[in-house]
Amino acid sequence: ALNVQNFPQSDALRVEMTCNHDKHVAFGHRNGQVSLLDLRASRTICSIFQCEESTSSMTAGVPLGSVSDLCFLSSSDSKQILVRRSFGSSQVHDIRRSSSSQTRSSHRNLSSSTVLHNLVVPIDEINPTLSANCNGFAVDPCGKQTMISPYINDKFDACLGVWSLQTGLMVGSRLLQTRSRDEDVLYVEMCQQPTPSFSCTAKDKVSSSSFAIWLKCGAFTRGRISSKVGSLHQVSFPGYWN
C-alpha cells in the first residue's frame, strides 16, 4: 500500500498512468487540479498542478472548470502532462518544475506554477459554459506537436480547434455543426486515439504524417436528446501544422 500525503479531497474524474520506467499516475480532479503520484517512492508526496487564472492575460477572469481529459505527452519522455479543463481551455504542465519543490517540502500542499502553455480560444470566440458539453482531445500521432479539441463558439455552434503544442498558439479551427434552433444545445464527444484517414485514396498524395480523428456530434433540445443525435464523423488532418 502507498503512504500518500496531501492527496486532494476533490473527486478524481480522470486517471492516467505512464507505461515506462517513470511509473507516474496522474489524477484529474473536479476542482481543476491534477495530482501526480510517483510509484517509485515508498512515502509518496502528492504533487499538485493547477492553472491559476492570473498566469495568462488570455485566461484572466475566465473559469477553467474541472479536469475533463488528460494524458502524458510521450514525445517529452513523459515529463509533460496535457490537461483539458471543462470550460474549453487546455494546459501543458511540466512535471520537472515540481521536482525542486518536492525536495524542499515534505508535507505541505505543492501547488505549482508548472504551466508551459495555455491552449485557449480567444475569449470573444468561445462560450465557456456550453463548452462543458464538449469532451476529448487528440494529439497528432507522428510529431506530437498538434492538439485538436472541440468547443462551442460565441454563436453557439460546435467547432474544432487546433493548437501547436510547441508554442501554445491556436493555429486553426473548423466548424462542425451549426445550431439550427434557439432551444438546441450542441455537444461533441471526441475519441482520443487518432486513426488513418479513410478519405484518402490510393491516388491521393498524402503526407505520412496525415491522420484522422473520430467524433460524435449532436444536440440536446430542452433537456432531451434529439431523435437525430449520434451522428459520427471522421475528420482528416494533413499532419504537421505551423
Side-chain angles (χ1 to χ4, degrees), residues 95-157:
I95 298 174
R96 292 167 293 189
R97 292 190 178 185
S98 69
S99 299
S100 59
S101 298
Q102 291 187 43
T103 58
R104 295 193 302 264
S105 173
S106 57
H107 298 287
R108 64 183 177 86
N109 188 350
L110 298 178
S111 296
S112 57
S113 57
T114 59
V115 178
L116 287 177
H117 300 301
N118 276 305
L119 286 65
V120 299
V121 182
I123 192 171
D124 58 344
E125 299 178 15
I126 187 173
N127 187 311
T129 302
L130 294 182
S131 291
N133 295 316
C134 299
N135 294 298
F137 62 71
V139 176
D140 75 275
C142 298
K144 308 291 184 181
Q145 298 176 0
T146 306
M147 186 199 79
I148 301 98
S149 186
Y151 66 95
I152 304 298
N153 69 11
D154 58 316
K155 298 178 181 178
F156 310 104
D157 301 327

Short mmCIF file of all heavy atoms in Angstrom, two decimals, residues 95-157:
data_model
loop_
_atom_site.label_atom_id
_atom_site.label_comp_id
_atom_site.label_asym_id
_atom_site.label_seq_id
_atom_site.Cartn_x
_atom_site.Cartn_y
_atom_site.Cartn_z
N ILE A 95 6.26 18.44 -15.52
CA ILE A 95 6.46 17.71 -14.27
C ILE A 95 7.76 18.12 -13.59
O ILE A 95 7.85 18.20 -12.37
CB ILE A 95 6.46 16.19 -14.54
CG1 ILE A 95 5.11 15.75 -15.09
CG2 ILE A 95 6.78 15.41 -13.26
CD1 ILE A 95 5.08 14.30 -15.51
N ARG A 96 8.78 18.42 -14.38
CA ARG A 96 10.09 18.71 -13.82
C ARG A 96 10.10 19.99 -12.98
O ARG A 96 10.96 20.16 -12.12
CB ARG A 96 11.12 18.82 -14.95
CG ARG A 96 11.39 17.49 -15.65
CD ARG A 96 12.14 17.67 -16.94
NE ARG A 96 11.31 18.36 -17.94
CZ ARG A 96 11.65 18.48 -19.21
NH1 ARG A 96 12.80 17.99 -19.63
NH2 ARG A 96 10.87 19.11 -20.06
N ARG A 97 9.17 20.88 -13.21
CA ARG A 97 9.12 22.12 -12.44
C ARG A 97 8.69 21.90 -11.00
O ARG A 97 8.84 22.78 -10.17
CB ARG A 97 8.17 23.12 -13.10
CG ARG A 97 8.68 23.66 -14.43
CD ARG A 97 7.83 24.81 -14.91
NE ARG A 97 8.33 25.36 -16.16
CZ ARG A 97 7.82 26.43 -16.75
NH1 ARG A 97 6.78 27.05 -16.20
NH2 ARG A 97 8.32 26.87 -17.88
N SER A 98 8.16 20.72 -10.71
CA SER A 98 7.76 20.43 -9.34
C SER A 98 8.83 19.69 -8.56
O SER A 98 8.72 19.54 -7.35
CB SER A 98 6.48 19.58 -9.33
OG SER A 98 6.76 18.28 -9.83
N SER A 99 9.90 19.24 -9.23
CA SER A 99 10.90 18.40 -8.56
C SER A 99 11.60 19.13 -7.43
O SER A 99 11.74 18.61 -6.32
CB SER A 99 11.93 17.92 -9.58
OG SER A 99 11.32 17.15 -10.58
N SER A 100 12.05 20.37 -7.67
CA SER A 100 12.77 21.10 -6.64
C SER A 100 11.88 21.40 -5.45
O SER A 100 12.32 21.40 -4.30
CB SER A 100 13.32 22.41 -7.22
OG SER A 100 12.26 23.21 -7.72
N SER A 101 10.59 21.61 -5.71
CA SER A 101 9.67 21.88 -4.60
C SER A 101 9.50 20.66 -3.73
O SER A 101 9.38 20.74 -2.52
CB SER A 101 8.31 22.33 -5.16
OG SER A 101 8.43 23.52 -5.88
N GLN A 102 9.50 19.46 -4.35
CA GLN A 102 9.31 18.24 -3.58
C GLN A 102 10.48 18.00 -2.63
O GLN A 102 10.29 17.50 -1.53
CB GLN A 102 9.15 17.06 -4.53
CG GLN A 102 7.85 17.08 -5.32
CD GLN A 102 7.67 15.81 -6.10
OE1 GLN A 102 7.91 14.71 -5.59
NE2 GLN A 102 7.24 15.93 -7.34
N THR A 103 11.68 18.34 -3.04
CA THR A 103 12.84 18.08 -2.19
C THR A 103 12.90 19.05 -1.01
O THR A 103 13.46 18.72 0.02
CB THR A 103 14.13 18.21 -3.00
OG1 THR A 103 14.20 19.53 -3.57
CG2 THR A 103 14.16 17.19 -4.13
N ARG A 104 12.30 20.23 -1.15
CA ARG A 104 12.35 21.20 -0.07
C ARG A 104 11.15 21.12 0.85
O ARG A 104 11.18 21.62 1.95
CB ARG A 104 12.44 22.62 -0.65
CG ARG A 104 13.70 22.92 -1.41
CD ARG A 104 13.83 24.41 -1.65
NE ARG A 104 12.70 24.93 -2.37
CZ ARG A 104 12.66 25.12 -3.69
NH1 ARG A 104 13.71 24.77 -4.42
NH2 ARG A 104 11.61 25.64 -4.28
N SER A 105 10.10 20.50 0.39
CA SER A 105 8.86 20.48 1.17
C SER A 105 8.35 19.05 1.27
O SER A 105 8.12 18.41 0.27
CB SER A 105 7.81 21.37 0.51
OG SER A 105 6.58 21.25 1.16
N SER A 106 8.19 18.56 2.49
CA SER A 106 7.82 17.16 2.64
C SER A 106 6.34 16.95 2.91
O SER A 106 5.81 15.89 2.64
CB SER A 106 8.62 16.54 3.80
OG SER A 106 8.39 17.27 4.99
N HIS A 107 5.66 17.95 3.48
CA HIS A 107 4.28 17.71 3.87
C HIS A 107 3.30 18.74 3.35
O HIS A 107 2.12 18.49 3.36
CB HIS A 107 4.16 17.67 5.40
CG HIS A 107 4.97 16.56 6.02
ND1 HIS A 107 4.59 15.25 5.92
CD2 HIS A 107 6.14 16.59 6.71
CE1 HIS A 107 5.49 14.49 6.55
NE2 HIS A 107 6.44 15.29 7.03
N ARG A 108 3.75 19.89 2.89
CA ARG A 108 2.79 20.92 2.53
C ARG A 108 2.22 20.68 1.13
O ARG A 108 2.75 19.91 0.34
CB ARG A 108 3.46 22.30 2.57
CG ARG A 108 4.58 22.50 1.55
CD ARG A 108 5.21 23.86 1.73
NE ARG A 108 6.33 24.06 0.83
CZ ARG A 108 6.21 24.51 -0.41
NH1 ARG A 108 5.03 24.77 -0.89
NH2 ARG A 108 7.29 24.68 -1.16
N ASN A 109 1.10 21.33 0.87
CA ASN A 109 0.45 21.22 -0.42
C ASN A 109 1.34 21.84 -1.50
O ASN A 109 1.70 23.00 -1.43
CB ASN A 109 -0.90 21.96 -0.36
CG ASN A 109 -1.72 21.74 -1.60
OD1 ASN A 109 -1.25 21.20 -2.58
ND2 ASN A 109 -2.97 22.17 -1.53
N LEU A 110 1.68 21.05 -2.51
CA LEU A 110 2.63 21.52 -3.52
C LEU A 110 1.90 22.11 -4.73
O LEU A 110 1.95 21.58 -5.83
CB LEU A 110 3.53 20.37 -3.96
CG LEU A 110 4.39 19.76 -2.86
CD1 LEU A 110 5.19 18.61 -3.40
CD2 LEU A 110 5.31 20.80 -2.26
N SER A 111 1.15 23.20 -4.51
CA SER A 111 0.57 23.90 -5.64
C SER A 111 1.70 24.49 -6.46
O SER A 111 2.65 25.06 -5.92
CB SER A 111 -0.36 25.02 -5.14
OG SER A 111 -1.45 24.47 -4.44
N SER A 112 1.63 24.37 -7.79
CA SER A 112 2.78 24.73 -8.59
C SER A 112 2.39 25.57 -9.79
O SER A 112 1.29 25.48 -10.31
CB SER A 112 3.48 23.45 -9.08
OG SER A 112 2.56 22.65 -9.80
N SER A 113 3.33 26.42 -10.21
CA SER A 113 3.17 27.17 -11.44
C SER A 113 3.91 26.42 -12.53
O SER A 113 4.95 26.85 -13.01
CB SER A 113 3.72 28.59 -11.28
OG SER A 113 5.07 28.54 -10.88
N THR A 114 3.38 25.27 -12.91
CA THR A 114 4.05 24.36 -13.82
C THR A 114 3.59 24.52 -15.26
O THR A 114 3.97 23.73 -16.11
CB THR A 114 3.81 22.91 -13.39
OG1 THR A 114 2.39 22.67 -13.39
CG2 THR A 114 4.37 22.65 -12.00
N VAL A 115 2.76 25.51 -15.55
CA VAL A 115 2.15 25.64 -16.87
C VAL A 115 3.17 26.14 -17.88
O VAL A 115 3.72 27.24 -17.73
CB VAL A 115 0.94 26.57 -16.83
CG1 VAL A 115 0.35 26.74 -18.23
CG2 VAL A 115 -0.12 26.03 -15.88
N LEU A 116 3.41 25.33 -18.92
CA LEU A 116 4.27 25.75 -20.02
C LEU A 116 3.49 26.55 -21.05
O LEU A 116 3.96 27.57 -21.55
CB LEU A 116 4.89 24.53 -20.70
CG LEU A 116 5.98 23.77 -19.96
CD1 LEU A 116 6.40 22.55 -20.78
CD2 LEU A 116 7.18 24.67 -19.70
N HIS A 117 2.30 26.05 -21.40
CA HIS A 117 1.48 26.71 -22.42
C HIS A 117 0.01 26.68 -22.00
O HIS A 117 -0.46 25.67 -21.47
CB HIS A 117 1.61 26.03 -23.78
CG HIS A 117 3.00 26.02 -24.33
ND1 HIS A 117 3.73 27.16 -24.57
CD2 HIS A 117 3.81 24.99 -24.69
CE1 HIS A 117 4.90 26.86 -25.07
NE2 HIS A 117 4.99 25.53 -25.13
N ASN A 118 -0.69 27.78 -22.24
CA ASN A 118 -2.14 27.83 -22.13
C ASN A 118 -2.71 27.73 -23.54
O ASN A 118 -2.48 28.62 -24.37
CB ASN A 118 -2.59 29.14 -21.48
CG ASN A 118 -2.56 29.07 -19.98
OD1 ASN A 118 -3.15 28.18 -19.38
ND2 ASN A 118 -1.85 29.99 -19.36
N LEU A 119 -3.47 26.69 -23.81
CA LEU A 119 -4.07 26.49 -25.12
C LEU A 119 -5.53 26.93 -25.02
O LEU A 119 -6.37 26.20 -24.49
CB LEU A 119 -3.97 25.03 -25.56
CG LEU A 119 -2.60 24.52 -26.00
CD1 LEU A 119 -1.58 24.52 -24.87
CD2 LEU A 119 -2.71 23.11 -26.57
N VAL A 120 -5.81 28.14 -25.50
CA VAL A 120 -7.13 28.73 -25.30
C VAL A 120 -7.69 29.23 -26.62
O VAL A 120 -6.97 29.52 -27.57
CB VAL A 120 -7.08 29.89 -24.29
CG1 VAL A 120 -6.60 29.41 -22.93
CG2 VAL A 120 -6.17 31.02 -24.80
N VAL A 121 -9.03 29.32 -26.66
CA VAL A 121 -9.73 30.00 -27.74
C VAL A 121 -9.84 31.47 -27.33
O VAL A 121 -10.07 31.77 -26.16
CB VAL A 121 -11.14 29.40 -27.94
CG1 VAL A 121 -11.85 30.09 -29.10
CG2 VAL A 121 -11.04 27.90 -28.19
N PRO A 122 -9.66 32.40 -28.26
CA PRO A 122 -9.85 33.81 -27.91
C PRO A 122 -11.17 34.03 -27.18
O PRO A 122 -12.20 33.46 -27.56
CB PRO A 122 -9.83 34.52 -29.27
CG PRO A 122 -8.94 33.66 -30.11
CD PRO A 122 -9.22 32.24 -29.66
N ILE A 123 -11.15 34.82 -26.12
CA ILE A 123 -12.27 34.91 -25.20
C ILE A 123 -13.55 35.38 -25.86
O ILE A 123 -14.66 35.04 -25.43
CB ILE A 123 -11.89 35.83 -24.01
CG1 ILE A 123 -12.92 35.72 -22.90
CG2 ILE A 123 -11.72 37.27 -24.48
CD1 ILE A 123 -12.52 36.41 -21.64
N ASP A 124 -13.44 36.15 -26.95
CA ASP A 124 -14.64 36.63 -27.64
C ASP A 124 -15.13 35.66 -28.70
O ASP A 124 -16.07 35.97 -29.44
CB ASP A 124 -14.37 38.00 -28.27
CG ASP A 124 -13.20 37.97 -29.26
OD1 ASP A 124 -12.42 36.99 -29.23
OD2 ASP A 124 -13.08 38.92 -30.04
N GLU A 125 -14.53 34.45 -28.77
CA GLU A 125 -14.93 33.47 -29.76
C GLU A 125 -15.39 32.15 -29.15
O GLU A 125 -15.59 31.18 -29.87
CB GLU A 125 -13.77 33.20 -30.73
CG GLU A 125 -13.32 34.43 -31.51
CD GLU A 125 -12.15 34.13 -32.43
OE1 GLU A 125 -11.87 32.93 -32.66
OE2 GLU A 125 -11.50 35.09 -32.89
N ILE A 126 -15.57 32.11 -27.83
CA ILE A 126 -15.93 30.85 -27.17
C ILE A 126 -17.02 31.11 -26.14
O ILE A 126 -17.09 32.19 -25.53
CB ILE A 126 -14.70 30.21 -26.49
CG1 ILE A 126 -15.05 28.82 -25.93
CG2 ILE A 126 -14.12 31.10 -25.42
CD1 ILE A 126 -13.86 28.04 -25.41
N ASN A 127 -17.88 30.12 -25.96
CA ASN A 127 -18.84 30.11 -24.87
C ASN A 127 -18.35 29.08 -23.85
O ASN A 127 -18.55 27.88 -24.04
CB ASN A 127 -20.23 29.73 -25.38
CG ASN A 127 -21.31 29.88 -24.32
OD1 ASN A 127 -21.16 29.40 -23.21
ND2 ASN A 127 -22.40 30.54 -24.68
N PRO A 128 -17.68 29.53 -22.77
CA PRO A 128 -17.07 28.57 -21.83
C PRO A 128 -18.08 27.64 -21.17
O PRO A 128 -17.81 26.45 -21.00
CB PRO A 128 -16.40 29.48 -20.79
CG PRO A 128 -16.22 30.79 -21.49
CD PRO A 128 -17.37 30.92 -22.40
N THR A 129 -19.26 28.16 -20.81
CA THR A 129 -20.25 27.33 -20.12
C THR A 129 -20.74 26.20 -21.01
O THR A 129 -20.79 25.04 -20.60
CB THR A 129 -21.43 28.19 -19.67
OG1 THR A 129 -20.96 29.25 -18.82
CG2 THR A 129 -22.44 27.36 -18.90
N LEU A 130 -21.10 26.52 -22.25
CA LEU A 130 -21.59 25.49 -23.17
C LEU A 130 -20.48 24.58 -23.64
O LEU A 130 -20.74 23.43 -24.03
CB LEU A 130 -22.28 26.14 -24.36
CG LEU A 130 -23.57 26.90 -24.06
CD1 LEU A 130 -24.18 27.45 -25.34
CD2 LEU A 130 -24.58 26.01 -23.33
N SER A 131 -19.24 25.04 -23.59
CA SER A 131 -18.11 24.18 -23.98
C SER A 131 -17.91 23.03 -23.01
O SER A 131 -17.18 22.07 -23.32
CB SER A 131 -16.82 25.01 -24.08
OG SER A 131 -16.88 25.91 -25.17
N ALA A 132 -18.55 23.10 -21.84
CA ALA A 132 -18.52 21.97 -20.91
C ALA A 132 -19.23 20.75 -21.48
O ALA A 132 -19.07 19.64 -20.96
CB ALA A 132 -19.15 22.38 -19.58
N ASN A 133 -20.03 20.95 -22.55
CA ASN A 133 -20.69 19.83 -23.22
C ASN A 133 -19.78 19.16 -24.26
O ASN A 133 -20.23 18.27 -24.97
CB ASN A 133 -21.96 20.31 -23.92
CG ASN A 133 -23.00 20.79 -22.92
OD1 ASN A 133 -23.23 20.16 -21.90
ND2 ASN A 133 -23.62 21.93 -23.22
N CYS A 134 -18.53 19.61 -24.35
CA CYS A 134 -17.57 19.02 -25.29
C CYS A 134 -16.51 18.26 -24.50
O CYS A 134 -15.99 18.76 -23.50
CB CYS A 134 -16.90 20.11 -26.12
SG CYS A 134 -18.06 21.06 -27.14
N ASN A 135 -16.19 17.07 -24.96
CA ASN A 135 -15.20 16.23 -24.27
C ASN A 135 -14.19 15.67 -25.26
O ASN A 135 -14.50 15.43 -26.42
CB ASN A 135 -15.90 15.07 -23.56
CG ASN A 135 -16.78 15.52 -22.43
OD1 ASN A 135 -16.32 16.11 -21.47
ND2 ASN A 135 -18.08 15.27 -22.55
N GLY A 136 -12.97 15.48 -24.75
CA GLY A 136 -11.95 14.80 -25.51
C GLY A 136 -10.98 15.73 -26.21
O GLY A 136 -11.26 16.91 -26.43
N PHE A 137 -9.82 15.18 -26.52
CA PHE A 137 -8.84 15.84 -27.37
C PHE A 137 -8.01 14.76 -28.05
O PHE A 137 -8.06 13.58 -27.66
CB PHE A 137 -7.95 16.82 -26.60
CG PHE A 137 -7.11 16.20 -25.52
CD1 PHE A 137 -6.03 15.39 -25.82
CD2 PHE A 137 -7.39 16.44 -24.18
CE1 PHE A 137 -5.25 14.82 -24.83
CE2 PHE A 137 -6.63 15.87 -23.18
CZ PHE A 137 -5.56 15.06 -23.50
N ALA A 138 -7.27 15.15 -29.06
CA ALA A 138 -6.38 14.22 -29.75
C ALA A 138 -5.08 14.92 -30.06
O ALA A 138 -5.06 16.13 -30.32
CB ALA A 138 -7.03 13.69 -31.03
N VAL A 139 -3.98 14.17 -30.03
CA VAL A 139 -2.65 14.67 -30.36
C VAL A 139 -2.17 13.94 -31.60
O VAL A 139 -2.36 12.72 -31.72
CB VAL A 139 -1.67 14.45 -29.19
CG1 VAL A 139 -0.26 14.89 -29.57
CG2 VAL A 139 -2.15 15.20 -27.95
N ASP A 140 -1.58 14.70 -32.54
CA ASP A 140 -1.14 14.05 -33.78
C ASP A 140 -0.14 12.93 -33.46
O ASP A 140 0.76 13.10 -32.64
CB ASP A 140 -0.53 15.07 -34.75
CG ASP A 140 0.86 15.52 -34.35
OD1 ASP A 140 0.97 16.44 -33.53
OD2 ASP A 140 1.82 14.94 -34.86
N PRO A 141 -0.31 11.75 -34.08
CA PRO A 141 0.46 10.57 -33.69
C PRO A 141 1.90 10.57 -34.16
O PRO A 141 2.70 9.77 -33.68
CB PRO A 141 -0.32 9.42 -34.33
CG PRO A 141 -0.97 10.04 -35.52
CD PRO A 141 -1.31 11.45 -35.12
N CYS A 142 2.24 11.44 -35.09
CA CYS A 142 3.60 11.41 -35.65
C CYS A 142 4.52 12.39 -34.93
O CYS A 142 5.45 11.98 -34.24
CB CYS A 142 3.54 11.72 -37.14
SG CYS A 142 2.60 10.51 -38.10
N GLY A 143 4.25 13.67 -35.07
CA GLY A 143 5.14 14.67 -34.49
C GLY A 143 4.85 15.02 -33.06
O GLY A 143 5.69 15.61 -32.38
N LYS A 144 3.64 14.65 -32.57
CA LYS A 144 3.22 15.02 -31.21
C LYS A 144 3.34 16.53 -30.99
O LYS A 144 3.68 16.98 -29.91
CB LYS A 144 4.08 14.28 -30.15
CG LYS A 144 4.16 12.78 -30.34
CD LYS A 144 2.84 12.10 -30.06
CE LYS A 144 2.97 10.58 -30.14
NZ LYS A 144 1.70 9.89 -29.90
N GLN A 145 3.04 17.29 -32.03
CA GLN A 145 3.20 18.74 -31.96
C GLN A 145 1.88 19.49 -32.08
O GLN A 145 1.84 20.71 -31.95
CB GLN A 145 4.14 19.22 -33.07
CG GLN A 145 5.54 18.65 -32.97
CD GLN A 145 6.42 19.07 -34.14
OE1 GLN A 145 5.98 19.79 -35.03
NE2 GLN A 145 7.66 18.62 -34.13
N THR A 146 0.78 18.77 -32.32
CA THR A 146 -0.50 19.40 -32.56
C THR A 146 -1.58 18.77 -31.70
O THR A 146 -1.63 17.55 -31.55
CB THR A 146 -0.90 19.27 -34.06
OG1 THR A 146 0.16 19.77 -34.87
CG2 THR A 146 -2.17 20.04 -34.36
N MET A 147 -2.46 19.60 -31.13
CA MET A 147 -3.61 19.11 -30.38
C MET A 147 -4.89 19.60 -31.03
O MET A 147 -4.98 20.75 -31.48
CB MET A 147 -3.57 19.59 -28.93
CG MET A 147 -4.69 18.98 -28.08
SD MET A 147 -5.05 19.88 -26.55
CE MET A 147 -6.04 21.24 -27.17
N ILE A 148 -5.90 18.73 -31.08
CA ILE A 148 -7.21 19.08 -31.59
C ILE A 148 -8.23 18.85 -30.50
O ILE A 148 -8.20 17.81 -29.82
CB ILE A 148 -7.58 18.23 -32.83
CG1 ILE A 148 -6.54 18.42 -33.94
CG2 ILE A 148 -8.96 18.58 -33.34
CD1 ILE A 148 -5.50 17.35 -34.01
N SER A 149 -9.13 19.81 -30.28
CA SER A 149 -10.13 19.69 -29.22
C SER A 149 -11.39 20.47 -29.60
O SER A 149 -11.29 21.52 -30.23
CB SER A 149 -9.55 20.20 -27.90
OG SER A 149 -10.44 19.97 -26.83
N PRO A 150 -12.57 19.98 -29.21
CA PRO A 150 -13.82 20.67 -29.57
C PRO A 150 -14.20 21.76 -28.56
O PRO A 150 -13.78 21.74 -27.40
CB PRO A 150 -14.85 19.54 -29.56
CG PRO A 150 -14.33 18.60 -28.51
CD PRO A 150 -12.83 18.67 -28.58
N TYR A 151 -15.02 22.68 -29.01
CA TYR A 151 -15.57 23.73 -28.15
C TYR A 151 -16.83 24.30 -28.80
O TYR A 151 -17.12 24.04 -29.98
CB TYR A 151 -14.54 24.84 -27.91
CG TYR A 151 -14.17 25.64 -29.14
CD1 TYR A 151 -14.79 26.84 -29.44
CD2 TYR A 151 -13.17 25.19 -30.01
CE1 TYR A 151 -14.46 27.57 -30.57
CE2 TYR A 151 -12.83 25.92 -31.15
CZ TYR A 151 -13.47 27.11 -31.42
OH TYR A 151 -13.14 27.82 -32.54
N ILE A 152 -17.59 25.08 -28.04
CA ILE A 152 -18.76 25.78 -28.54
C ILE A 152 -18.40 27.25 -28.68
O ILE A 152 -17.92 27.87 -27.73
CB ILE A 152 -19.98 25.62 -27.61
CG1 ILE A 152 -20.28 24.13 -27.38
CG2 ILE A 152 -21.20 26.34 -28.18
CD1 ILE A 152 -20.65 23.36 -28.62
N ASN A 153 -18.63 27.81 -29.86
CA ASN A 153 -18.21 29.19 -30.09
C ASN A 153 -19.24 30.20 -29.58
O ASN A 153 -20.28 29.83 -29.00
CB ASN A 153 -17.87 29.42 -31.57
CG ASN A 153 -19.10 29.36 -32.47
OD1 ASN A 153 -20.25 29.34 -32.03
ND2 ASN A 153 -18.86 29.33 -33.78
N ASP A 154 -18.96 31.47 -29.79
CA ASP A 154 -19.82 32.54 -29.29
C ASP A 154 -21.17 32.58 -30.00
O ASP A 154 -22.11 33.24 -29.52
CB ASP A 154 -19.12 33.89 -29.42
CG ASP A 154 -18.74 34.20 -30.87
OD1 ASP A 154 -18.23 33.29 -31.55
OD2 ASP A 154 -18.96 35.35 -31.30
N LYS A 155 -21.31 31.87 -31.13
CA LYS A 155 -22.58 31.81 -31.84
C LYS A 155 -23.34 30.52 -31.53
O LYS A 155 -24.30 30.18 -32.22
CB LYS A 155 -22.32 31.92 -33.35
CG LYS A 155 -21.67 33.24 -33.76
CD LYS A 155 -21.39 33.26 -35.25
CE LYS A 155 -20.70 34.56 -35.65
NZ LYS A 155 -20.38 34.59 -37.11
N PHE A 156 -22.88 29.78 -30.51
CA PHE A 156 -23.49 28.54 -30.03
C PHE A 156 -23.33 27.38 -31.02
O PHE A 156 -24.07 26.41 -30.96
CB PHE A 156 -24.98 28.75 -29.72
CG PHE A 156 -25.25 29.94 -28.83
CD1 PHE A 156 -25.76 31.10 -29.37
CD2 PHE A 156 -24.99 29.89 -27.47
CE1 PHE A 156 -26.01 32.20 -28.56
CE2 PHE A 156 -25.23 30.98 -26.66
CZ PHE A 156 -25.74 32.14 -27.21
N ASP A 157 -22.34 27.49 -31.92
CA ASP A 157 -22.05 26.41 -32.86
C ASP A 157 -20.91 25.55 -32.35
O ASP A 157 -20.05 26.01 -31.58
CB ASP A 157 -21.66 26.99 -34.23
CG ASP A 157 -22.75 27.87 -34.82
OD1 ASP A 157 -23.94 27.58 -34.59
OD2 ASP A 157 -22.41 28.85 -35.51
#
